Amino acid sequence: MKEIEAIAALQDPVRRRLYEYVVAQGREVGRNEAAEAAGVARTLAAHHLDRLAEAGLLESGSRRLTGRSGPGAGRPAKVYTRARAERAVSLPARDYRTAAELLAEAAEQAGLDAGLCVAARRRGEALRGSAAPCGDLEEAMEMLAARGYEPHVEDAEGAKGAPGTAARVVRMRNCPFHAVAERFPPLVCGMNLALLEGLLGTDGRVRARMEARPGECCVVVEPSKDNGD
């Protein structure tokens, strides 16, 4: 019942907007910022943010938002981030996670990494259907968002773009296979890369490559090096 109650907390439209905003930032968010983003008063935002924390959907803490310390730095403010725990409801009860972990364990022990990647790439191509390979990062973000990856654009670290511009990459705050990837990272991350290669296409204007970063998906998407951008 706790899982149902947690998800039911998002039924309120204001609470859902606040939750979606905090999640989308990928960092700690204060009450004032969240209230302004949701278009509500700070007191109302504080009430709903605390309810989301009580439901286990957000985690709360406190820090000085001014970035200063010592006398005159101001009181610590309450901040919120997405909770690390996963929430899922299935009626009737199902346990696909255990099945996925058992299959991953068997595949790893049998050395089936290559076969799994072939199957994942084929599944990605099937999901893309008759559509042409992805044409640009904006299109890639739409496709990734539809699959639950929560993509966002960042400047590429150490990369050089055209004069006066920064090279961009798409990173993803969420890995849809996070629970299994934590236990079998090489196997599942390789599968994920192959899946996205099939979904985005390997002969278009973007490419997927592995670049793991803590707390995010292990794959990044960037413009193909031979597309002239």
Side-chain angles (χ1 to χ4, degrees), residues 64 66 68-75:
R64 289 186 173 90
T66 61
R68 303 193 305 271
S69 60
R75 296 175 56 188

Side-chain angles (χ1 to χ4, degrees), residues 63-100:
R63 67 177 178 86
R64 289 186 173 90
L65 299 179
T66 61
R68 303 193 305 271
S69 60
R75 296 175 56 188
K78 200 163 188 179
V79 292
Y80 303 84
T81 56
R82 174 164 49 190
R84 286 165 287 185
E86 295 182 8
R87 300 288 182 180
V89 174
S90 177
L91 299 173
R94 297 288 186 264
D95 189 5
Y96 299 115
R97 175 173 171 175
T98 296

